[in-house]
């Protein structure tokens, strides 16, 4: 066992120093890395945080850790590795893969680096904890954010971040600058903040602008781009909402930069003129 572990650690140290070529980000895709299929997310995004362009490349890299995982050096190690090699991805979070939180990395390192040092190796620079976000300050994923949702055994990520929403002022300048895809007046029925895709269910009262997604005047679902829930919506309140569309998924999106302002009747005439600018 010791000799096999030594070989695994040596191979790991040699392998992780190679950084594959960075390529343009693609859409979310199902997780195919065997070690990570037990994670509470089933969609990932390439390139990953180690710049592997495909999951096939990532499999070869993460398998170098099997010997270290076998030691049980840290209960956080597999979670951390999968968050790095098969990062969680939501359909409408298309900017970059979500990183593991710094504390998860530090716990994995504290438990496993002593084992690596027995074989004259240290924690890989490519897995440095220094640049990872703090749970309190940025978007990241950690085991603390995973909760049981019901008795069926389903698991959900209850929180990917703690953050503050941007204060976006409604006005002609903002409307023209942000080029919103849709503008609706709607009453909020429910805000669902569980799972990988937080949503708001609204009753559409009036469609002031739409582009590629059909918006019937009935109950409709708006999809937040992250668990930050920006802009915030209060159930029972009526809002003027300006946001964007996902043409690929035929969805109305809410991102940090969308507008959700409580509706006042005096806004109607001004808004109808505004969306025709």
């Amino acid at each position: 066992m010791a000799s096999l572990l030594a070989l695994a650690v040596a191979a790991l140290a040699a392998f992780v120093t190679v950084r594959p070529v960075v390529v343009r980000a693609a859409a979310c895709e199902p997780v195919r890395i065997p070690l990570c299929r037990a994670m509470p997310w089933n969609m990932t995004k390439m390139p990953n945080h180690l710049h592997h362009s495909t999951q096939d490349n990532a499999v070869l890299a993460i398998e170098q850790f099997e010997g270290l995982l076998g030691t049980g050096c840290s209960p956080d190690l597999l979670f951390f590795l999968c968050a790095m090699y098969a990062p969680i991805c939501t359909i409408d979070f298309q900017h970059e893969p979500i990183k593991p939180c710094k504390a998860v990395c530090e716990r994995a390192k504290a438990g496993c680096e002593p084992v690596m040092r027995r074989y004259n190796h240290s924690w890989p620079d490519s897995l440095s904890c220094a640049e990872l976000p703090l749970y309190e300050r940025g978007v990241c994923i950690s085991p603390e954010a995973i909760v049981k949702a019901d008795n069926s055994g389903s698991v959900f990520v209850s929180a990917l971040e703690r953050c503050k929403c941007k204060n976006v002022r409604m006005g002609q300048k903002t409307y023209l600058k942000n080029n919103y895809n849709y503008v609706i007046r709607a009453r909020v029925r429910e805000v669902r903040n569980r799972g990988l895709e937080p949503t708001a269910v609204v009753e559409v009262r009036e469609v002031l602008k739409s582009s590629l997604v059909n918006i019937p005047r009935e109950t409709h679902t708006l999809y937040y781009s992250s668990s930050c829930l920006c802009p915030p919506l209060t159930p029972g309140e009526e809002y003027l909402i300006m946001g964007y569309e996902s043409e690929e998924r035929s969805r109305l999106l809410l991102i940090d930069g969308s507008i959700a302002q409580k509706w006042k009747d005096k806004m109607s005439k001004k808004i109808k003129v505004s969306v025709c600018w």
Side-chain angles (χ1 to χ4, degrees):
M1 173 64 185
S3 59
L4 289 176
L5 178 57
L7 289 174
V9 172
L12 164 65
F15 195 94
V16 295
T17 57
V18 179
R19 300 178 71 87
V21 177
V22 179
V23 298
R24 185 173 62 86
C28 299
E29 59 187 73
V31 173
R32 293 184 288 102
I33 298 174
L35 283 173
C36 299
R37 286 178 179 168
M39 291 295 106
W41 63 89
N42 59 10
M43 299 294 285
T44 187
K45 187 181 181 74
M46 296 288 134
N48 61 21
H49 300 303
L50 282 303
H51 309 290
H52 298 105
S53 59
T54 68
Q55 289 194 65
D56 290 337
N57 292 337
V59 166
L60 296 175
I62 198 171
E63 284 180 348
Q64 307 298 314
F65 289 92
E66 285 186 319
L68 195 60
L69 286 164
T71 69
C73 57
S74 170
D76 292 290
L77 180 60
L78 182 59
F79 186 98
F80 171 68
L81 292 175
C82 288
M84 292 293 289
Y85 285 90
I88 186 174
C89 181
T90 61
I91 295 299
D92 297 316
F93 196 97
Q94 295 293 323
H95 304 294
E96 62 181 78
I98 299 170
K99 294 180 178 180
C101 296
K102 185 176 183 179
V104 182
C105 177
E106 290 175 338
R107 292 196 301 264
K109 180 180 178 180
C112 297
E113 189 171 36
V115 176
M116 299 180 70
R117 288 195 181 280
R118 294 176 197 167
Y119 302 94
N120 299 317
H121 293 292
S122 57
W123 190 255
D125 290 340
S126 59
L127 298 180
S128 171
C129 306
E131 301 302 321
L132 294 177
L134 296 172
Y135 180 73
E136 296 82 4
R137 299 181 184 176
V139 180
C140 64
I141 182 68
S142 73
E144 291 79 14
I146 307 297
V147 297
K148 292 284 183 180
D150 52 40
N151 294 329
S152 69
S154 299
V155 288
F156 298 91
V157 179
S158 64
L160 292 177
E161 62 189 288
R162 294 178 182 176
C163 56
K164 293 183 179 180
C165 299
K166 294 179 182 177
N167 183 18
V168 183
R169 288 182 172 273
M170 186 182 70
Q172 179 181 4
K173 184 177 180 181
T174 301
Y175 177 81
L176 294 174
K177 178 182 177 182
N178 292 347
N179 192 28
Y180 296 110
N181 297 138
Y182 73 89
V183 180
I184 60 174
R185 177 168 66 94
R187 184 177 182 84
V188 180
R189 291 184 59 182
E190 183 181 4
V191 177
R192 300 171 179 169
N193 186 21
R194 70 176 190 178
L196 301 184
E197 292 183 329
T199 58
V201 179
V202 302
E203 296 174 2
V204 178
R205 300 292 178 85
E206 190 173 4
V207 179
L208 298 163
K209 178 185 178 181
S210 64
S211 297
L212 301 172
V213 176
N214 180 46
I215 311 175
R217 290 189 59 180
E218 57 186 38
T219 301
H220 205 87
T221 300
L222 310 182
Y223 291 82
Y224 282 99
S225 62
S226 79
S227 63
C228 187
L229 301 186
C230 293
L233 295 171
T234 302
E237 296 287 350
E238 190 169 326
Y239 290 86
L240 173 71
I241 303 173
M242 300 184 183
Y244 300 94
E245 298 174 345
S246 170
E247 179 182 0
E248 179 183 356
R249 303 282 294 180
S250 296
R251 290 178 170 182
L252 302 183
L253 308 180
L254 290 171
I255 68 170
D256 195 9
S258 298
I259 287 177
Q261 184 160 326
K262 288 187 179 180
W263 177 261
K264 296 179 181 179
D265 290 337
K266 64 180 181 181
M267 297 165 60
S268 182
K269 183 176 180 180
K270 180 179 178 181
I271 295 302
K272 288 180 180 179
V273 173
S274 299
V275 297
C276 295
W277 287 328

